[in-house]
């Protein structure tokens, strides 16, 4: 069902935020990985987790940008959370555009011998021009889904060993606007069979499908997998909109964003809710889809199709077998 047709969706506009930084419990002793943590939602998530005591790995492509973000975060945490211990933040090189590098990043973390209590699959790209990844896969699907699929599944045994633990998969309201049929496995790389917008929607649908399939596989464990649409947030994710809309429309959109969009600090609260709230364990919340702020609604009909979930899982495993070195 479209979110627009759900009363629960419209109620979110008239109800107080269901989560805040003040409600985050002590995270001392927790180890977290946040992908794309050097900017936007990922940065805000990292700051909140580290500010509450978590040891956080910033899984990002650029070491230079990430080290700069770490220094900035240390000062910000000192100001926002004056009682917090010195933040424990580390860079983990992760290139989601290359599945072999995703596996390498996961193995580099595993070699540290640390537990992993929180994995926040936050990073992504949006409405980028058509391109193929390093593995020859349509890039938005490759980065937003396949990179995280490889990274997550490689880390999965460690996450199980660390339970109770959580995996948070970021999706988008755009998962309701994929290509016809949801995911066109046979024509994934055919530029003529999709648009810049439907390719993004397809990748975000894959996020929900993956999250639900993973949650089902972990149903008998204390690993809680949930999916999040962060909402309309002012982040760098929209940097390619000029290619999509042109400079005039882009200026109008930038003005609307300035007035209406949430800050990353507010936008991150829904993923922080599923990452840290005691409710997730107490109420055995898993495989659910949340929108701002920390409100559960039903995702699209495509995303709830178990046959499509399993088809994506099998397709992803096949790509891994073909593309990733043992």
């Amino acid at each position: 069902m479209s979110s627009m047709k759900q009363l629960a969706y419209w109620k979110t506009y008239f109800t107080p935020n269901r989560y805040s930084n003040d409600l985050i419990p002590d995270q001392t002793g927790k180890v977290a990985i946040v992908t794309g943590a050097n900017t936007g939602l990922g940065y805000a998530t990292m700051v909140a987790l580290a500010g509450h005591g978590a040891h956080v790995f910033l899984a990002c492509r650029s070491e230079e940008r990430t080290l700069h973000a770490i220094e900035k975060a240390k000062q910000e945490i000192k100001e926002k959370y004056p009682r917090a211990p010195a933040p424990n933040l580390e860079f983990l090189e992760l290139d989601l555009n290359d599945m072999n590098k995703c596996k390498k990043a996961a193995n580099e973390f595993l070699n540290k011998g640390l537990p992993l209590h929180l994995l926040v699959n936050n990073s992504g790209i949006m409405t980028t021009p058509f391109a193929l990844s390093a593995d020859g896969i349509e890039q938005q699907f490759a980065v937003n889904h396949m990179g995280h699929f490889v990274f997550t599944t490689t880390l999965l045994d460690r996450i199980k060993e660390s339970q109770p633990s959580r995996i948070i998969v970021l999706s988008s309201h755009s998962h309701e606007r994929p290509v016809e049929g949801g995911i066109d496995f046979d024509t994934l790389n055919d530029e003529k069979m999709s648009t810049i917008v439907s390719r993004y929607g397809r990748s975000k649908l894959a996020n929900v499908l993956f999250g639900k399939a993973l949650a089902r596989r972990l149903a008998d464990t204390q690993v809680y997998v949930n999916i999040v649409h962060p909402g309309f947030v002012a982040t760098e994710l929209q940097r390619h909109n000029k290619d999509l809309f042109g400079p005039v429309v882009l200026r109008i959109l930038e003005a609307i964003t300035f007035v209406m969009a949430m800050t990353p600090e507010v936008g991150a609260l829904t993923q922080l809710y599923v990452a840290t709230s005691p409710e997730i364990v107490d109420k055995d919340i898993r495989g659910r889809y949340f929108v701002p702020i920390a409100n559960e609604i039903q995702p699209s009909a495509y995303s709830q199709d178990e046959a499509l979930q399993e088809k994506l899982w099998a397709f992803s495993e096949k790509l891994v077998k073909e593309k990733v070195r043992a």
Side-chain angles (χ1 to χ4, degrees), residues 266-306:
V266 175
L269 289 175
T270 303
Q271 59 209 65
L272 286 166
Y273 165 75
V274 295
T276 65
S277 173
E279 285 187 356
I280 301 299
V281 175
D282 294 345
K283 297 181 179 180
D284 194 32
I285 296 172
R286 55 179 83 223
R288 311 284 185 82
Y289 176 70
F290 289 87
V291 300
I293 299 292
N295 293 287
E296 182 186 354
I297 66 168
Q298 294 299 311
S300 70
Y302 279 138
S303 67
Q304 298 184 67
D305 183 340
E306 287 192 16

Side-chain angles (χ1 to χ4, degrees), residues 256-274:
I256 293 171
T257 299
F258 179 78
V259 174
M260 299 184 64
M262 292 181 284
T263 64
E265 290 74 22
V266 175
L269 289 175
T270 303
Q271 59 209 65
L272 286 166
Y273 165 75
V274 295

